[in-house]
Amino acid sequence: LGFLRLSDVSDSQKTLIGATLGLGILAFVILFLAALGALKSWSLAAVLAALWLVGAREMRAVLISLSSNRNLLIDRPWATAAVLAALGLSFIPTWAPPHHYDALVYHLPLAQAYVRTGALCTLPQLMFSHFPQNAEMLFTLALLMRSELLTQMFMWLATVLSVWWIFERGKREAPLSAVLLACLLLATHTSVMLLSGAAYVEALVMLWTTAAVLCYLRWRQVDAATPGQRSWLALAGIFSGLALGTKYTAGITAGLL
């Protein structure tokens, strides 16, 4: 993230932005391999190994960011425990075999078709073959690694990152107790708890839409003379595009911004 020259950003925020961008990078990596007709286990392993080597030097910053937030959250043990418990409950369904309607009808069948052919393809019986495919690229990665459960865990991760975005933004603007309440309200929302453990795309749309809006608001607040001011706007555009590449309705957010 160094090239973005983001202004007034902590290690915790860098970790969060990097993880949110990272899911988009993974989706584009799979799309690139599939477009080349090189969607194979060995090619995926090579790319993931390369990404790991590139990102390994950032792991120290990740540990620092987690430690700093842990020290902050110790001051509110019960509120923190409630948020973590809600996220923990939504993690349990990720261990069940995929069984939701959309997941079985087109999200996973499309991904499986890409794995089977080793390239992008369409299924004539599914008009959804022509829908945005960012989430399906992550599902393809999971199925290429022979794990149906990983498809659902990707969506749970997107939910956790969404809650983290609310936390990081909120702790700059409001008392910690109010911020944790906001995180709890998001984590316990009925739709969030239902879909965060399913191979649906909504959690990913939620993540990239949340990131786009909060980066846009951060850009509006930064002084024009501050280095890296436009980087926040650039991130808002990138995240808006990733959301739109996941579901058409995300275009509403892009249009509003």
Side-chain angles (χ1 to χ4, degrees):
L1 297 175
F3 71 95
L4 289 173
R5 299 170 57 223
L6 294 171
S7 55
D8 188 23
V9 59
S10 65
D11 286 332
S12 182
Q13 289 175 307
K14 289 179 182 178
T15 299
L16 175 58
I17 294 169
T20 307
L21 281 173
L23 287 176
I25 291 172
L26 285 177
F28 274 85
V29 164
I30 298 301
L31 177 63
F32 180 71
L33 292 177
L36 292 179
L39 196 57
K40 306 294 182 183
S41 297
W42 63 266
S43 61
L44 175 63
V47 169
L48 291 179
L51 290 175
W52 176 260
L53 290 175
V54 171
R57 57 192 175 89
E58 304 293 336
M59 291 307 297
R60 182 172 180 273
V62 172
L63 295 177
I64 291 174
S65 71
L66 293 176
S67 177
S68 63
N69 278 331
R70 185 178 72 85
N71 294 334
L72 180 64
L73 292 171
I74 286 176
D75 295 334
R76 299 289 189 279
W78 292 109
T80 300
V83 174
L84 294 178
L87 293 174
L89 284 174
S90 64
F91 183 62
I92 294 174
T94 65
W95 291 91
H99 57 277
H100 295 80
Y101 180 84
D102 285 5
L104 298 179
V105 169
Y106 70 95
H107 290 310
L108 296 185
L110 275 175
Q112 186 59 48
Y114 301 150
V115 172
R116 185 172 59 251
T117 60
L120 295 177
C121 63
T122 59
L123 298 178
Q125 71 274 21
L126 279 182
M127 67 173 182
F128 305 109
S129 298
H130 306 285
F131 276 30
Q133 297 286 301
N134 280 348
E136 280 74 14
M137 293 299 105
L138 295 178
F139 296 158
T140 300
L141 185 158
L143 295 183
L144 200 58
M145 297 179 70
R146 294 177 171 80
S147 175
E148 293 179 342
L149 301 184
L150 184 56
T151 63
Q152 300 175 146
M153 292 180 182
F154 268 130
M155 297 305 101
W156 181 81
L157 174 60
T159 300
V160 172
L161 292 176
S162 298
V163 173
W164 192 355
W165 272 98
I166 299 299
F167 177 77
E168 285 293 339
R169 168 71 182 187
K171 71 182 185 181
R172 300 172 60 93
E173 309 286 341
L176 186 57
S177 56
V179 176
L180 290 172
L181 175 59
C183 292
L184 182 63
L185 290 174
L186 174 59
T188 56
H189 189 285
T190 305
S191 296
V192 171
M193 296 199 77
L194 174 66
L195 297 178
S196 60
Y200 276 36
V201 306
E202 279 72 20
L204 207 55
V205 175
M206 174 177 66
L207 168 61
W208 283 328
T209 296
T210 301
V213 171
L214 295 185
C215 285
Y216 177 80
L217 293 176
R218 184 71 182 276
W219 169 72
R220 291 290 300 271
Q221 290 182 340
V222 177
D223 185 85
T226 303
Q229 177 217 18
R230 292 185 177 178
S231 295
W232 290 107
L233 183 60
L235 283 174
I238 291 170
F239 291 138
S240 293
L242 287 171
L244 182 55
T246 306
K247 194 165 185 174
Y248 285 130
T249 53
I252 297 172
T253 300
L256 290 173
L257 294 184

